Each structure stands twice: as C-alpha cells, then as structure tokens.
Amino acid sequence: MPVRRFADGEVVMGRWPGSVLYYEVQVASYNDLTHLYTVKYKDGTELELKESDLRSVSSFKHRKSNSSSSSPSRRSGSRSRSRSPGRSAKGKRRSSSQSRESKEEKKKTVRETNLTFLKLSENNTSRYNGEPDSTERNDTSYKPLQVVEGLPLLNGRRLKYRINGFYAFVLTVAAVGTSLYFEIELHYLYDHFLQFAVSAATFSVLLSIYLYARSLKAPKEELSPGGNSGNFVYDFFIGRELNPRIGNFDLKYFCELRPGLIGWVIINLAMLLAEMKVQDRNMPSLSMILVNSFQLLYVVDALWNEDAILTTMDITHDGFGFMLAFGDLVWVPFIYSLQAFYLVSHPSEISWPTASAIIILNIFGYYIFRGANSQKNAFRRNPKDPKLAHLKCIPTAAGKSLLITGWWGLVRHPNYLGDLIMALAWSLPCGFNHILPYFYVLYFTCLLIHRENRDGHQCKKKYGLAWERYCQRVPYRIFPYIY
C-alpha cells in the first residue's frame, strides 16, 4: 500500500486542475481507495487532487530564496561595499544602474506572469451556471466530422471524440426513406413494441455485465469517481469504468445520443404510420403531427450540438454501467415515445386554436432552452465579447466566473426550465383522459430536480464561498419564484 506524503491539516501548495498555477491549500483528508487528497483553498473551495499535484510550501520558498540571493542587485551591492572610497561613487553609480536593470527585469517578469495568468483566466472563464462538468470544455463551434478533445482526466489525458451524430441521423433518415419507398411496413414496430423493448432491455443487461467484467482489469486512473465503492450492486448499477473504449470506439459516448435519440424518432414515425393504419386515416392526426414535430426538433437540436454532451455529468463523472446503458438503449427510445404510442389507440382531436396555443408553448420552452445554452456557449468561447458586455458574473478562485445576469441570473438552470416547458407541450396534444402521456413530464421533473441537487452539491464542494455568493444572488433553482 503506498504511503501518503501529506498529513491531514498540513498546509501545502496545490496545482489548480488544468493549469500550471499553484495555490496555498490545506489537506482535509485522503482517500486510500482512489489515492486522492481532498484539499481546501482559502476561499472555501474543496477539490480532490493527486499527490503529484501537491508540493510542499518550503520547496516554493527555497526556490524564491535562491533567486533572491543571486539577483543582480544583491551581487552589485556586495561589490560596492568592497570597493575603496575613491571608487565608491563609480561603484554606486554602477550599482544604481544595475539596480534599475534589476527592477526592469522584475517588472518584465511580473508583466509576463500577469499575462500568463490573464490568459489562463480567459481560458478558464467558462463557468456559467450550476453545472460543474461544463467548466472546461473545448471552445469549438460545430464543424462537419469534427474531432474534439474531452475534459482532462485524473491522469491529465484528454480523450478525442468524433462529432458526427447529426450525419448518422441523416444517414438513418435516408435508410428509413428507402425502406418506405420499397413499402417496408415500419408500423411493425408498433405491433411488436413490447418485444422490442424487452430485447433492448436484455441487451442492456448483457452490455452492463460486459462493462463490469472489463472494468475489473481497468487501471485505477480510468475508473469513475463514484463507481469504485466495492459494493457490487452499486458499482454494477452506476458503472466502474469512466470511458470504456474498444480501440478508439467510445462505448459510452456512442450510446449517449445515437441509438436512444435516433431510435426515438424512428419509433415516433412508426407510431404515426400505425395510427393511420389502426384508425383508417388518410393522414395522421394533428395531435400526432405535433408530437412528432416537437420531439424531432428536440432530437435534431441535440445531435447538431453534440459536442455539448462532452461536458455533462454522464460523460465526465458517471461510469458506464447499467444505469446509463439501460437509460440510453431502453428508457429514452421506449419511454420518451409514450405520447405517440398512446395516440395510436387513443385518438385525440384538437382544434387549431388549441394546437396554436400548444405550439406557442413549445416555442417558448425551446426559446428558453436554446437561448440559455447559446448564451453560456458564447460566454465560454469569448467572455469579452461586446455582445456579452451587459452580463455580470462572480469570479471564482481559478479565474472562472458564475453568471448572475441574463438567462443564468433568472434561475440557476434555465435550460432545465425550458426542457420542462417543452415536455409539457409534448403531452398536451394527448388530452387529459389518461396519465400515461404525462408520465414523461412527471418523471423528467423528478430527474432534473435530483440532478440539480447533485450539481449544487458538486459546485459547493468545488467553488466554496463563490458558490454561496452565487446562490444568494440567484436563489431560484429551476422555477422562478417557486423553486
């Protein structure tokens, strides 16, 4: 068992993650399992650091002392004292000249240090809300077949990801269109909906077993922070390995969007065709068209902005186990499509005025959702953009900032608010005769509230007093004046 180097309560110098800057910290505890130190910064921020990121205070002071003893001013001063009185004036002038040169060198060093710190601060000024995993993402816009780097892992490595989800969706649409052209009955999915769901669930269990088995051989630095508890049931559920890969193929990243979201759209389309067949209609109902259109917009938006998922807790914090495997492969495509499934056998006729009101509600939710996400992305790419000059923020210990105006000054998670408004708009076309179409919005509300609590806990630990000040300025979490 490795011997820890620093004791609890010891004051040391800790490197801020993702930078070369060291700050004075106090060791709070040590995890024998992960071999990470929990340290506390002067502003109350708590982080987990590797031993290689910690240095003794004396090592910094020692270098500073050596630098001072060999400075030009000290050397020139020593020579001036040893000179004869007749040469003292010349020696003093030379000493004064060298002293001025020394001061200029010091000023230059300070300027260079400040410039370096400024650049690091600008690169790190990406903190925009209560989502701790979004603080250090790549400042990149969407490009065709783009390859981007993820956030730094515990060992400092940054994995590469190919951003091509939208093109996978386009390819799938082409394949589905071809099958419809050759009159392949897509509503077969509706007739065997339960069988497909059970098959997907079985596959997710088998995938989870494989993931757990391979994680037993994975290096400790590749395990997730919370999935290495030693409890088999918990670790199997939450996932032990953070980024399981077969070669360059990232299993978790692939499953996060592609099979679930694209499968969701295909199932919705199958329900639309099934409604026309079951109800003997020449065209789908207005309710079915609204549900398909709203959810298609949501999926296309997610795939077009695929790189945003690299900063979510699913990618950066949670391991890939049964929770994510079942959620990605079963829960998303088969539960999120319940509104369309319900409308096949429970027709709901709505008037155009009612449909217009629902459309306006969905547009309003999407406006909040996309506006909030676009604002945070713009702030992340260039905090000094003149278009963002009206935004105010609270600085944190590492130069990152917490927005307290704009969308992120309204509530801590305006994107969650927009998400929930859209979810309600998806359910309303189904009427009020059954709770099944509203299961998604009820479940999603519980999910986002739970996730918000997790985010808040992580941010409190990571940003300390700055997070407390942020919460005072932005007291509402998701719903203005309610929660």
Side-chain angles (χ1 to χ4, degrees), residues 371-445:
N373 284 325
S374 296
Q375 189 176 78
K376 74 179 181 185
N377 291 336
F379 184 76
R380 180 185 299 115
R381 285 193 297 270
N382 182 13
K384 295 186 177 182
D385 188 338
K387 296 180 180 178
L388 306 176
H390 63 286
L391 298 178
K392 297 180 180 179
C393 55
I394 295 177
T396 63
K400 296 178 174 62
S401 298
L402 304 169
L403 282 176
I404 56 175
T405 57
W407 286 112
W408 302 95
L410 177 65
V411 290
R412 298 176 201 171
H413 295 272
N415 51 344
Y416 290 2
L417 175 63
D419 235 339
L420 291 174
I421 293 175
M422 285 190 290
L424 178 61
W426 301 347
S427 302
L428 291 176
C430 301
F432 302 97
N433 294 325
H434 203 285
I435 196 174
L436 183 64
Y438 293 88
F439 173 78
Y440 171 75
V441 66
L442 295 174
Y443 147 77
F444 203 48
T445 301

Side-chain angles (χ1 to χ4, degrees), residues 25 32 43 92 151 209 273:
V25 299
D32 292 323
D43 69 342
K92 186 179 295 184
L151 302 186
I209 294 174
L273 297 175

Side-chain angles (χ1 to χ4, degrees), residues 197-238:
V198 171
S199 299
T202 303
F203 180 79
S204 68
V205 172
L206 296 176
L207 176 61
S208 302
I209 294 174
Y210 164 75
L211 292 169
Y212 184 85
R214 64 167 282 156
S215 71
L216 298 177
K217 298 181 180 180
K220 290 186 178 180
E221 62 269 16
E222 295 182 6
L223 300 180
S224 65
N228 192 20
S229 66
N231 184 314
F232 166 76
V233 176
Y234 178 80
D235 292 346
F236 177 82
F237 177 79
I238 204 70

